[in-house]
Amino acid sequence: FWSIEHFNFLPRFFLSTLLFFAGAGFVAENLWGSRRFLSVGEWFQILVILVVFVVTESLLNAVLIGILLTCVDFILTYARVPCVVEQPVRRAELSCVRRAPMIQLTLDHILNRWLLVVRLKGFIFFASAQALVAQIRDMMESEERNKVPQYRRLHFVIFDCKVMDGMDASTAKVLRKLKSDAAGYNVVILWTYVRSDLASKLRRQELASGDNSIFADTDEALHS
């Protein structure tokens, strides 16, 4: 057929029945049949998209709602994924350098209060970085609020990037704000195990200034 005019010769009841069963089969397969394989949240997203399409009679609106729901689900999912290998720790036993016992004891005693090590992992998104930054900021505010003596307060935060792949622009903005807030509490942000490409990115995003905050490993940072 060169046009749809020939469909006008078919019975209307036949055409409506054909369209109904074709559409019903599609809905049954992709909505009702998929409930066994999808989570409640994923199945609910499909139902919402279908309802939007039926109510608005617009495929574009349904597609836009689907994209919006996917983005929200992505953010909520990654907000629950930790961006650290382990919980941030305040300790000095990360150094592999052997020192005299008295010097080592003195160093451990000081750095166990002064030093916070954060081992980052994977690609860090804004949602997962927010919780980490809030934890560090709460630690500094708590010391200020409780009037902890200066010699017992946090002085250095080391971000260990050994198994970190990168970060998005929103995460970089959050970390810049953390760096600015930390300076107000006399806390210095340091980066260790930084690759050359990551080092350039940290400088470009104003997360590190010069070479005095980027180090090859934790030992080098501790000796600085």
Side-chain angles (χ1 to χ4, degrees):
F1 298 120
W2 293 96
S3 68
I4 62 173
E5 296 177 358
H6 302 284
F7 285 100
N8 292 327
F9 295 101
L10 296 175
R12 297 296 176 88
F13 177 78
F14 170 77
L15 287 177
S16 60
T17 304
L18 181 65
L19 290 175
F20 173 79
F21 280 104
F26 178 80
V27 172
E29 179 181 355
N30 292 277
L31 182 61
W32 184 250
S34 62
R35 75 189 191 283
R36 296 176 298 173
F37 312 105
L38 301 176
S39 65
V40 176
E42 293 170 337
W43 190 82
F44 180 74
Q45 291 177 25
I46 296 178
L47 181 62
V48 170
I49 294 172
L50 177 62
V51 170
V52 170
F53 175 69
V54 173
V55 172
T56 64
E57 299 181 356
S58 172
L59 180 61
L60 178 60
N61 291 339
V63 171
L64 293 176
I65 290 297
I67 294 175
L68 178 62
L69 291 175
T70 302
C71 293
V72 172
D73 181 66
F74 177 83
I75 293 173
L76 293 177
T77 299
Y78 270 90
R80 295 190 293 267
V81 177
C83 60
V84 293
V85 176
E86 59 183 0
Q87 285 298 312
V89 289
R90 299 180 75 160
R91 63 188 185 192
E93 58 265 25
L94 297 172
S95 176
C96 299
V97 178
R98 302 185 64 178
R99 303 177 180 87
M102 185 58 68
I103 296 177
Q104 186 65 48
L105 286 173
T106 303
L107 189 62
D108 290 346
H109 179 72
I110 295 175
L111 293 185
N112 280 340
R113 300 299 307 176
W114 284 22
L115 180 66
L116 177 70
V117 179
V118 183
R119 290 178 169 174
L120 304 174
K121 71 170 184 177
F123 192 91
I124 306 176
F125 291 94
F126 169 79
S128 56
Q130 276 281 56
L132 174 63
V133 169
Q135 182 179 356
I136 298 174
R137 183 178 287 113
D138 181 66
M139 192 178 300
M140 296 185 295
E141 292 176 352
S142 176
E143 292 181 341
E144 181 72 21
R145 186 169 54 251
N146 296 327
K147 298 181 179 180
V148 176
Q150 191 66 31
Y151 68 91
R152 296 186 59 193
R153 292 190 183 187
L154 181 66
H155 285 70
F156 302 98
V157 175
I158 293 182
F159 285 117
D160 186 329
C161 306
K162 192 172 186 178
V163 291
M164 189 187 81
D165 298 326
M167 68 181 76
D168 61 6
S170 298
T171 301
K173 183 178 180 180
V174 170
L175 292 177
R176 274 198 305 273
K177 183 64 168 59
L178 174 64
K179 179 185 175 184
S180 175
D181 293 344
Y185 293 101
N186 296 319
V187 177
V188 179
I189 305 293
L190 304 177
W191 301 81
T192 61
Y193 294 100
V194 179
R195 305 180 306 274
S196 57
D197 58 329
L198 180 58
S200 301
K201 189 173 183 179
L202 292 176
R203 295 188 184 96
R204 185 172 64 254
Q205 294 174 331
E206 298 180 359
L207 295 175
S209 53
D211 296 325
N212 57 348
S213 57
I214 298 178
F215 302 93
D217 52 42
T218 305
D219 283 324
E220 185 179 339
L222 292 177
H223 282 96
S224 65

